[in-house]
Amino acid sequence: NYSKSNVFRELMFIYDFIQKTLVLRITKFIDELDENCIIDITKFRNLTTLEIHRVPVKQIKGLQSLRIQLQELVVEKCLTSVKELIIHCAGDKCSGFIWNNLKRLDLSYNQLDRVESSFEFTPYIQHLNLSHNKIVHISALVWLPNLKVLNLSFNQLTTIPKLNNESMRRLQVLTLNDNCIEDVSGVVRLEALLELDISGNCLLDHALLLPLCTLTCLRYLNLFGNPLAFHPKHRIATCRYLSKNAASVQFYLDGEILSRSENALTGNYENYYPLFG
């Protein structure tokens, strides 16, 4: 009866706007938020990107119906358990379902000290950011065969985490700065790796860099802040452990391109490759 009124047309505009929205960001700007306040995103039926900042995920409803289409999910400063988000779909409290299209997942700046097997339900993730958490050990990455970019910086890792065999052939960027890593043996067989940042860790001796000779595609290496980086001949010592392929490209070591004399030193330890299988 009111289809010709201005109010009806405005409501239809709002409805269409919500229906066609692709990106939604939910942020808490005030210090206090009623714990009984429920944020229902069910009407945003075409979302491909969802960001949640400082809003407890248990107050978000409607995530379950979006899991089959979301391509990017960002949840910062409001998460204590990955299971709560991935398996239970926040406030929906459902059972586990596969996230069919989720390619990018950012769970940085949370209070995560462990990552359960929740990643079993997100096998298509290509970009994963778990930086600025409290993770000491993580084994759940074996559920992610499609990883290309992994960021675990600013955690409490002591070793390089184990990856899925498929992702070991696909990973291109690995960021592990500001952890407590003491060796880099875990990078062996990362045959597609282009960038490796292990600055701000606990690498003491250049001999520990021997596994780097297996990284034939590596183009960028950052060792700043490790004890070995303060050695007066740090760059020379490091170059001896790089693949000989580093001499044929613009290779950046600690932010600077290798000089001609440094290029000549690369590849000296390639004969050790059989040691790593």
Side-chain angles (χ1 to χ4, degrees):
N1 294 335
Y2 301 97
S3 60
K4 295 183 179 180
S5 69
N6 291 333
V7 173
F8 181 82
R9 285 194 292 269
E10 291 174 358
L11 289 174
M12 285 300 298
F13 172 78
I14 295 175
Y15 178 79
D16 290 341
F17 179 81
I18 291 175
Q19 290 283 301
K20 296 176 181 178
T21 298
L22 300 178
V23 180
L24 176 64
R25 177 170 180 168
I26 304 170
T27 305
K28 185 179 75 169
F29 288 103
I30 57 178
D31 294 333
E32 295 183 2
L33 182 67
D34 187 354
E35 294 183 357
N36 297 319
C37 174
I38 299 299
I39 303 173
D40 193 340
I41 59 175
T42 306
K43 300 300 182 183
F44 293 88
R45 297 177 180 175
N46 289 302
L47 284 184
T48 58
T49 300
L50 174 63
E51 297 186 19
I52 304 172
H53 299 266
R54 296 187 290 134
V55 178
V57 294
K58 64 181 180 181
Q59 297 179 228
I60 307 294
K61 288 268 192 177
L63 194 58
Q64 180 180 358
S65 60
L66 295 172
R67 75 185 186 282
I68 61 175
Q69 66 197 54
L70 278 180
Q71 299 175 19
E72 181 174 359
L73 180 59
V74 179
V75 181
E76 292 185 353
K77 299 181 180 179
C78 57
L79 195 65
T80 57
S81 168
V82 179
K83 184 178 181 180
E84 179 184 14
L85 176 71
I86 298 299
I87 296 182
H88 297 320
C89 287
D92 294 343
K93 300 187 186 310
C94 63
S95 300
F97 294 96
I98 297 294
W99 296 64
N100 295 321
N101 286 293
L102 191 62
K103 302 294 193 303
R104 293 174 176 264
L105 179 62
D106 186 343
L107 303 180
S108 58
Y109 293 95
N110 284 293
Q111 298 294 320
L112 302 175
D113 57 2
R114 66 174 67 120
V115 180
E116 312 91 343
S117 59
S118 305
F119 287 155
E120 179 182 0
F121 298 95
T122 58
Y124 304 108
I125 289 179
Q126 297 178 5
H127 294 245
L128 176 62
N129 187 351
L130 289 168
S131 64
H132 295 272
N133 279 286
K134 300 179 179 179
I135 301 172
V136 177
H137 176 73
I138 179 170
S139 60
L141 298 178
V142 296
W143 295 105
L144 304 177
N146 295 291
L147 269 185
K148 292 183 179 179
V149 177
L150 175 61
N151 188 344
L152 281 163
S153 60
F154 293 95
N155 278 285
Q156 300 172 20
L157 297 170
T158 56
T159 59
I160 293 176
K162 184 178 180 181
L163 303 175
N164 180 283
N165 288 336
E166 287 296 320
S167 62
M168 291 179 71
R169 290 191 283 269
R170 295 176 177 173
L171 194 69
Q172 298 176 359
V173 179
L174 179 58
T175 307
L176 294 165
N177 59 284
D178 295 276
N179 278 279
C180 306
I181 295 173
E182 298 178 349
D183 73 84
V184 295
S185 57
V187 303
V188 174
R189 292 177 58 201
L190 299 183
E191 54 193 55
L193 195 66
L194 299 173
E195 300 180 15
L196 175 61
D197 187 344
I198 46 177
S199 59
N201 279 283
C202 304
L203 300 174
L204 296 175
D205 191 274
H206 286 88
L208 297 171
L209 302 180
L210 179 59
L212 298 182
C213 71
T214 67
L215 306 180
T216 56
C217 292
L218 197 65
R219 301 290 181 270
Y220 175 90
L221 174 63
N222 190 353
L223 294 169
F224 267 132
N226 285 282
L228 58 77
F230 295 95
H231 192 284
K233 295 185 178 180
H234 161 60
R235 291 182 66 86
I236 293 176
T238 300
C239 289
R240 297 181 183 277
Y241 293 96
L242 298 178
S243 164
K244 64 181 180 180
N245 291 353
S248 60
V249 297
Q250 276 197 337
F251 192 98
Y252 286 83
L253 173 59
D254 297 345
E256 296 183 14
I257 298 177
L258 294 186
S259 65
R260 182 175 298 181
S261 60
E262 290 170 343
N263 279 330
L265 296 173
T266 62
N268 287 355
Y269 284 83
E270 289 250 322
N271 56 315
Y272 285 87
Y273 186 84
L275 291 175
F276 307 111

